[in-house]
Amino acid sequence: LSSQRILVCQNRTCRKQGAKTVLAEFQAQNIAEVKIFGSGCLGQCGNGPMVLILPAEIWCDRVSVEEVTAILTRYALTSDRATPTTPLTSPQSP
Ligand code: FES
């Protein structure tokens, strides 16, 4: 059994950026192999909503609800074999 975990920051800054709905969307996917947690600040405030996939330690920034399924498919469900390459979300220019 896998011990995939996904942390979705629920601290103030990320919540302001929509982390609550992102967390809800991850939970709504209800994937047995992946445990979803709301977390405290992940130290990346301002780039939120921040998502951290463990144990692979893949960081996703500015995650939107629309990206949740893609993140699960691309990283969490295949991370035994996947090599972390390019981030799914590229930072927007400031
Ligand atoms: S509030 Fe989310 S990373 Fe700090």
Side-chain angles (χ1 to χ4, degrees), residues 8 10 18-27 49 51 63-65 68:
V8 184
Q10 296 296 298
K20 197 179 174 186
T21 50
V22 170
L23 174 63
E25 181 64 22
F26 271 111
Q27 289 169 334
V51 171
V63 173
S64 67
V65 170
V68 165

Side-chain angles (χ1 to χ4, degrees), residues 10-93:
Q10 296 296 298
N11 215 328
R12 272 173 60 191
T13 313
C14 285
R15 280 182 87 113
K16 266 185 212 156
Q17 295 173 303
K20 197 179 174 186
T21 50
V22 170
L23 174 63
E25 181 64 22
F26 271 111
Q27 289 169 334
Q29 302 283 321
N30 200 20
I31 294 169
E33 305 95 297
V34 184
K35 291 186 169 54
I36 309 295
F37 298 100
S39 82
C41 180
L42 294 172
Q44 302 287 329
C45 312
N47 297 320
M50 283 304 304
V51 171
L52 174 59
I53 301 166
L54 295 173
E57 282 193 51
I58 298 167
W59 295 84
C60 302
D61 62 0
R62 296 182 174 87
V63 173
S64 67
V65 170
E66 291 75 24
E67 288 171 317
V68 165
T69 309
I71 287 171
L72 285 167
T73 310
R74 186 156 166 182
Y75 296 125
L77 295 178
T78 59
S79 68
D80 285 350
R81 279 165 297 159
T83 34
T85 50
T86 48
L88 184 64
T89 54
S90 50
Q92 313 292 314
S93 39

